[in-house]
């Protein structure tokens, strides 16, 4: 097991910094980008004006901390463990609860692919709920809440940027269900982050193997890669072999919250035979994953038997895997979905580990034709009712949405979700704004994602160029993440998120002053920006020229502008 | 001169068709995509249900007509020549009018790079105006108008899709200035197309060399390539050597309207010394290009002396090359811009050849910081006054806009433009919705372009991944065009443009039925979609499988959906 093929050692001219909070152990990782000075010639003399450091949100974990020697075979530091222990409402279990989990542990054939360090699962003590929502409702500001408040602010306050984001504000948003901190007590390696419409827009990446491709090593590499480029959360959607072991490797090395769709693994346990799925198998899978440390579960509990017939009215049926599985289960058994009928029990499991529920949109439209149809919106209403139930159990909730939705139908999704789901954070795939561009669906969907997040969606799930065609590789993950960083940031600017424009202004100033290196370093993908520039300058590789090959020296508008400014002064 | 490196011979499973109009010689090129049948097993027997052909807008010219043998050294067929002659209001000139044009012609050193066939320029007869606007205002439906009406409709009527687009409607929109057909009488090779908010959204690509890179061959290749992928118009922004000869090669081989920014060449004529620019040099350049066949000129006549001081208030000054040149000229000479003071005279030149004016936005914001500022909106008001003047001369008008604009400030641009420019078609660069993603600005800007065109912008100017970094190469042109085809199509869907959704529905149906080849063939980039699919199926390269590697066989939601549909029926 190694990730030698990925260089995530550092960002150019950047420094990993930690900002201390007031609560013990709160030490928030950020990245500070240093800039070169602005050089001017004044009265024949060279004068340097320093440019301020720019601090940016950092999802890369200790992988980019030169002081930490990460060993994938040991896992990341367990930073949250101290806070969790301190609350004194959990206990280390004497054994794994899940039957399947024990079976995997005891199977010696799996030793070669097993994560070397055994994780000892933790659970709430009898009679306790250990969710961030539970604490928030009691008025407690947890270290996690202080952590995200500092993280969202970056250095706004130092810059004198006025902002509403305090630890108490975070607490109140979580208590109201308008934001969540997905933070399983069994995933102490993750750095807390918040998902809610009043915070910066987050992005999720999907990784995971299928029966046809990709092994554990590759999936761990994708996870690290995703965090490096800016993925805020990560879903392991594996459906192939060794899901349990793959997940363990990822969680132990994952600095961001990780989600799964437990029905996938449950279905693998019955060899893909939907008819043989049972509540008992599903329940054991939930517990197995809760104890490994999954931070949020996509649960398609809104797919009801009565909606099954709507699928056949659609152009593209049901394109959610979980949704199609549950619909088929309902039809085969002529029974209501066990996810729906057992939803209370599910919540009582989740609040023992603080796993958030991401209510899946099984009726997500798979084509422009099917957008905003009855199947989709009836399910959304069910999700609203399930939200109320989850909140009764102090379980944190996300609501999943969109898919393929043309631009004029996007706002209705956000409006309806906000109303029927009582402002629980919306988490949408794209939406893709047209069906006609396979191989470019990171773009069809970045358009929709920017729009829907500007309207209040809290987290957007990336789509890679390979969507509809095949599993993404590392390059696709990078392309997908950057496209979604763009959408999320465009939305933050649009919403006037405090401090969002600082980075744009710094980069534009660097651009205007021909500080090429700063322009690269401040960008979302310094490596590619620099490469594009230098490739065209192979014969004159001085990155300090006051023009680029796009216009050449005579036609650089920015250079002429500076002359104008000088001439106006004279 | 050859374009061997570009395969533009055909689209997969497509047929070039021509739809006849009622006026002589109106024969509208379109592309018909054939589909494979849907195969079902019914009562144990294989039954085939045919799928209808899908007709799509085709900008590729005769390059994709197997019946036409294109020879780049001879140029394209001159399809519009007959219509122009028929109107009997123009004449072939005895000689080139432009002094510079004559000089180039007589310079034997240029023979090796000269386009082999001399174009004999045509001009309106004394006392005539020959613009499409002039004809429209007289109530005449020209062949060009009938051509675009048919072209916009594709096969809507055959499908029973109700649409307002008739030749008379086209005429009325042009007469009112709400749409233009850019069609210089000296570019009879171009296939007519219409730009206006009630028609399908168009996209422009920029090509052209700079002093640092790229030769004639490469620029011709880029032009053909741009048309092949879907560019509706093309601007040659060359600023390097041999601009005149490069342009001739491009025009003679260009099946779409071509635009330029004449001030670039004028500046080259004075060796880049802005102080030496004069109205006389500029005027000669206009005439030189009118007689070569340029279809629209970007003219930064809205940049006024009084606005020069606003440039120095900005974070990124003036990022329009033409705008910065004219601002500097005003400052150096302490005079009003000659483009503004001579605007009537310019219009009187343009209406002799039917060259449209694209009123340049010299104060386009180059950063989020500068968006919608005074400099930008004061200029827009000037453009509105210039529009009125151009229309007095029957000159067709486009208004150029955006640049870097955050999402929340986009609508104000469209609203203000519509009001102050009397609904003249808006033609915008992007806008880029954030500054922080150099190397991905095709995406930052596709978001803005989709939004602004959904609000009524008629044509969007592409941005390639190399924007801000270097000149685009062929791959960048392709990436930029596809990103903008997506934005334009998403906007057409949003506006409910007649028939726009036909292609989406067909592709989605193909996708749902696992007709992989049809899914590829119906997409904007069949080659890339197919490659992504097949690369992942190297060990089982059967493109008819009922799943892909993304989910594998057990987890294909669409396959499960079809089972559900079958089960519901039983």
């Amino acid at each position: 097991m190694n990730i030698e093929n990925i260089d995530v050692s550092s960002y150019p001219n950047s420094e990993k910094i930690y900002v201390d909070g007031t609560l013990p152990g709160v030490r928030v990782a950020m990245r500070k980008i240093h800039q070169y000075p602005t050089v001017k010639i004044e009265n024949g003399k060279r004068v340097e004006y320093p440019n301020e450091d720019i601090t940016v949100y950092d999802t890369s974990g200790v992988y980019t901390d030169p002081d930490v020697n990460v060993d994938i075979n040991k896992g990341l530091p367990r930073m949250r463990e101290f806070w969790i222990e301190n609350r004194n409402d959990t206990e280390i279990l004497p054994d794994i609860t899940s039957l399947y989990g024990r079976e995997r542990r005891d199977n010696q054939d799996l030793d070669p692919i097993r994560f070397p360090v055994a994780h000892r699962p933790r659970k709430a003590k009898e009679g306790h709920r250990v969710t961030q929502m539970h604490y928030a409702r009691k008025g407690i500001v947890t270290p996690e809440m202080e952590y995200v408040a500092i993280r969202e602010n970056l250095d706004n306050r130092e810059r004198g940027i006025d902002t509403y984001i305090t630890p108490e504000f975070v607490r109140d948003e979580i208590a109201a269900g308008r934001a969540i901190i997905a933070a399983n007590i069994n995933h102490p390696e993750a750095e807390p982050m918040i998902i809610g419409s009043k915070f910066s827009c987050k992005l999720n990446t999907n990784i995971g193997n299928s029966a046809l491709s990709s092994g554990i090593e590759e999936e761990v590499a994708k996870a690290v890669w995703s965090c490096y480029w800016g993925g805020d959360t990560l879903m392991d959607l594996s459906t192939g072999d060794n899901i349990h072991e793959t997940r363990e490797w990822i969680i132990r090395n994952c600095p961001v919250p990780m989600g799964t769709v437990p029905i996938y693994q449950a279905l693998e346990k019955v060899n893909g035979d939907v008819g043989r799925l049972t509540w008992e198998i599903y329940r054991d899978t939930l517990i197995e994953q809760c104890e490994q440390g999954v931070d949020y579960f996509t649960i398609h509990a809104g797919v009801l038997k009565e909606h099954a017939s709507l699928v056949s009215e659609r152009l593209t049926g049901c394109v959610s895997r979980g949704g199609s599985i549950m619909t088929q289960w309902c039809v085969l058994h002529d029974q209501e979905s066990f996810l729906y009928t057992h939803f209370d029990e599910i919540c009582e499991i989740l609040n023992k580990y603080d796993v958030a529920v991401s209510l899946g949109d099984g009726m997500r439209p798979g084509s422009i034709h099917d957008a905003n149809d009855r199947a989709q919106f009836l399910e959304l209403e069910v999700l609203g009712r399930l939200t109320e139930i989850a909140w009764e159990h102090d379980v944190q909730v996300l609501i999943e949405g969109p898919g393929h939705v043309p631009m004029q139908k996007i706002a209705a999704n956000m409006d309806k979700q906000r109303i029927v789901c009582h402002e629980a954070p919306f988490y949408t795939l794209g939406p893709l704004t047209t069906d006609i561009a396979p191989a470019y669906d990171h773009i069809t969907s970045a358009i929709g994602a920017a729009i829907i997040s500007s309207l209040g969606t809290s987290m957007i799930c990336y789509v890679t160029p390979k969507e509809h065609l095949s599993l993404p590789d590392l390059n696709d993950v990078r392309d997908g993440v950057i496209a979604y960083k763009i959408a999320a940031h465009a939305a933050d600017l649009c919403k006037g998120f405090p401090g969002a424009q600082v980075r744009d202004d710094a980069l534009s100033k660097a651009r205007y002053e021909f500080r090429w290196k700063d322009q690269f370093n401040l960008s979302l993908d310094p490596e590619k920006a620099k490469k594009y520039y230098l490739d065209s300058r192979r014969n004159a590789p001085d990155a300090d020229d006051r023009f680029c090959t796009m216009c050449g020296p005579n036609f650089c508008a920015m250079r002429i502008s500076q002359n104008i400014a000088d001439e106006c002064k004279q």
Side-chain angles (χ1 to χ4, degrees), chain A:
Chain A
M1 190 65 58
N2 70 79
I3 53 156
E4 276 175 81
N5 57 333
I6 306 174
D7 175 17
V8 296
S9 54
S10 66
Y11 298 93
N13 213 24
S14 292
E15 183 187 349
K16 189 93 178 179
I17 61 163
Y18 292 92
V19 177
D20 288 334
T22 60
L23 296 174
V26 174
R27 198 168 158 263
V28 183
M30 299 180 184
R31 174 160 67 101
K32 188 169 260 190
I33 306 171
H34 300 299
Q35 296 195 75
Y36 294 92
T38 300
V39 177
K40 292 190 179 176
I41 306 298
E42 291 177 355
N43 303 323
K45 282 175 86 174
R46 182 190 151 97
V47 187
E48 292 194 356
Y49 294 90
N51 286 295
E52 60 186 355
D53 297 331
I54 300 295
T55 305
V56 298
Y57 199 102
D58 187 357
T59 57
S60 64
V62 292
Y63 291 101
T64 52
D65 185 339
D67 297 335
V68 178
N69 198 1
V70 179
D71 181 349
I72 294 286
N73 300 290
K74 290 182 180 157
L76 297 177
R78 299 166 71 86
M79 115 183 223
R80 285 179 57 237
E81 198 149 57
F82 165 70
W83 304 339
I84 296 163
E85 279 172 358
N86 239 12
R87 287 194 274 263
N88 204 24
D89 52 2
T90 59
E91 59 195 359
I92 303 281
L93 296 176
D95 194 6
I96 295 171
T97 310
S98 150
L99 295 176
Y100 181 83
R102 289 186 207 163
E103 208 177 277
R104 297 299 286 193
R105 181 197 55 200
D106 298 339
N107 182 346
Q108 291 179 1
D109 293 348
L110 297 172
D111 286 350
I113 62 163
R114 201 187 304 282
F115 183 72
V117 186
H119 169 74
R120 297 177 60 209
R122 180 185 293 275
K123 189 180 172 184
K125 287 181 183 166
E126 188 62 34
H128 284 269
R129 291 173 174 181
V130 295
T131 71
Q132 294 290 322
M133 184 179 224
H134 176 73
Y135 303 133
R137 285 171 161 184
K138 288 191 142 179
I140 298 168
V141 171
T142 63
E144 287 86 346
M145 295 173 199
E146 190 190 30
Y147 190 104
V148 302
I150 294 169
R151 196 172 192 185
E152 292 288 313
N153 273 314
L154 299 171
D155 49 1
N156 282 335
R157 285 179 184 147
E158 265 181 49
R159 276 173 208 283
I161 294 171
D162 196 29
T163 162
Y164 50 80
I165 304 167
T166 63
E168 292 72 25
F169 179 81
V170 168
R171 177 197 60 200
D172 295 347
E173 288 296 296
I174 292 172
R178 286 192 295 265
I180 75 164
I181 295 178
N184 186 332
I185 54 173
N186 286 301
H187 189 196
E189 299 90 346
E191 298 172 1
M193 51 77 70
I194 190 158
I195 304 167
S197 65
K198 291 178 186 143
F199 302 95
S200 62
C201 180
K202 304 304 187 296
L203 77 95
N204 175 72
T205 69
N206 292 331
I207 62 162
N209 63 351
S210 75
L212 294 177
S213 67
S214 193
I216 291 177
E217 246 182 272
E218 198 180 328
E219 294 310 318
V220 174
K222 276 187 206 166
V224 176
W225 189 242
S226 156
C227 297
Y228 178 74
W229 288 109
D232 291 289
T233 65
L234 172 67
M235 292 194 80
D236 173 17
L237 302 185
S238 292
T239 56
D241 293 333
N242 307 316
I243 298 183
H244 181 89
E245 289 69 29
T246 304
R247 186 188 308 124
E248 189 72 25
W249 277 97
I250 295 174
I251 292 175
R252 300 282 78 85
N253 287 292
C254 188
V256 304
M258 196 192 86
T260 63
V261 189
I263 198 79
Y264 295 174
Q265 192 187 5
L267 186 64
E268 289 288 356
K269 291 178 183 175
V270 293
N271 295 316
D273 181 350
V274 173
R276 287 171 52 214
L277 272 175
T278 64
W279 160 243
E280 288 68 30
I281 290 168
Y282 186 80
R283 183 178 176 280
D284 192 71
T285 306
L286 285 186
I287 294 170
E288 171 198 347
Q289 299 196 12
C290 283
E291 295 187 358
Q292 281 189 290
V294 174
D295 299 286
Y296 59 102
F297 289 147
T298 293
I299 300 184
H300 297 89
V303 173
L304 299 189
K305 198 184 80 164
E306 61 185 290
H307 299 161
S309 63
L310 297 174
V311 170
S312 46
E313 289 174 16
R314 294 182 137 188
L315 180 61
T316 48
C318 182
V319 297
S320 147
R321 295 192 238 170
S324 64
I325 293 164
M326 289 316 299
T327 302
Q328 192 178 25
W329 191 91
C330 292
V331 171
L332 288 175
H333 292 267
D334 195 22
Q335 276 180 25
E336 193 50 275
S337 155
F338 57 78
L339 299 178
Y340 184 77
T341 55
H342 290 269
F343 194 68
D344 274 294
E345 200 175 340
I346 289 172
C347 291
E348 275 306 302
I349 295 169
L350 270 48
N351 69 20
K352 297 288 180 295
Y353 304 93
D354 200 6
V355 177
V357 62
S358 187
L359 289 167
D361 54 337
M363 296 297 167
R364 182 172 69 231
S367 56
I368 294 298
H369 181 276
D370 294 343
N372 294 17
D373 71 352
R374 272 184 77 215
Q376 186 193 341
F377 279 172
L378 282 175
E379 182 189 36
L380 186 57
E381 288 169 19
V382 180
L383 301 189
R385 297 201 296 276
L386 294 168
T387 299
E388 294 166 27
I389 295 171
W391 286 351
E392 282 167 21
H393 296 273
D394 289 345
V395 170
Q396 303 185 92
V397 176
L398 290 173
I399 306 292
E400 298 188 9
H404 293 236
V405 182
M407 290 168 76
Q408 79 278 17
K409 293 190 176 178
I410 291 176
N413 279 275
M414 189 69 235
D415 292 344
K416 189 171 174 75
Q417 189 273 346
R418 189 179 277 123
I419 294 165
V420 303
C421 298
H422 319 292
E423 301 191 66
F426 207 18
Y427 162 35
T428 66
L429 181 78
L432 290 73
T433 52
T434 165
D435 304 340
I436 67 170
Y440 297 85
D441 279 324
H442 60 312
I443 300 178
T444 65
S445 67
I447 293 168
I451 294 172
I452 204 162
S453 51
S454 77
L455 299 172
T457 286
S458 305
M459 182 156 78
I460 45 183
C461 180
Y462 88 165
V463 170
T464 78
K466 296 276 171 70
E467 184 77 15
H468 300 117
L469 300 169
S470 72
L471 263 192
D473 61 20
L474 287 177
N475 267 331
D476 302 315
V477 170
R478 176 176 176 172
D479 281 343
V481 170
I482 301 288
Y484 273 65
K485 285 291 285 182
I486 289 168
H489 185 70
D492 284 344
L493 289 175
C494 182
K495 295 193 297 183
F497 185 72
Q501 202 180 307
V502 169
R503 190 174 183 176
D504 294 78
D505 291 350
L507 190 144
S508 288
K509 182 167 186 281
R511 180 176 279 155
Y512 190 62
E513 293 173 352
F514 300 101
R515 283 182 282 115
W516 289 101
K517 289 170 198 156
D518 289 335
Q519 185 185 159
F520 306 148
N521 297 343
L522 287 163
S523 75
L524 291 179
D525 188 342
E527 190 179 285
K528 196 172 277 182
K530 184 176 174 185
K531 181 179 174 356
Y532 283 179
Y533 176 77
L534 289 181
D535 279 357
S536 69
R537 305 282 292 137
R538 243 172 263 154
N539 301 323
D542 180 353
D544 286 322
D545 277 336
R546 292 171 69 77
F547 55 86
C548 76
T549 56
M550 187 159 176
C551 305
N554 278 351
F555 281 88
C556 178
M558 296 198 298
R559 212 181 45 149
I560 297 173
S561 283
Q562 289 168 30
N563 295 345
I564 298 168
D566 292 346
E567 284 151 9
C568 283
K569 273 185 214 145
Q570 282 161 12

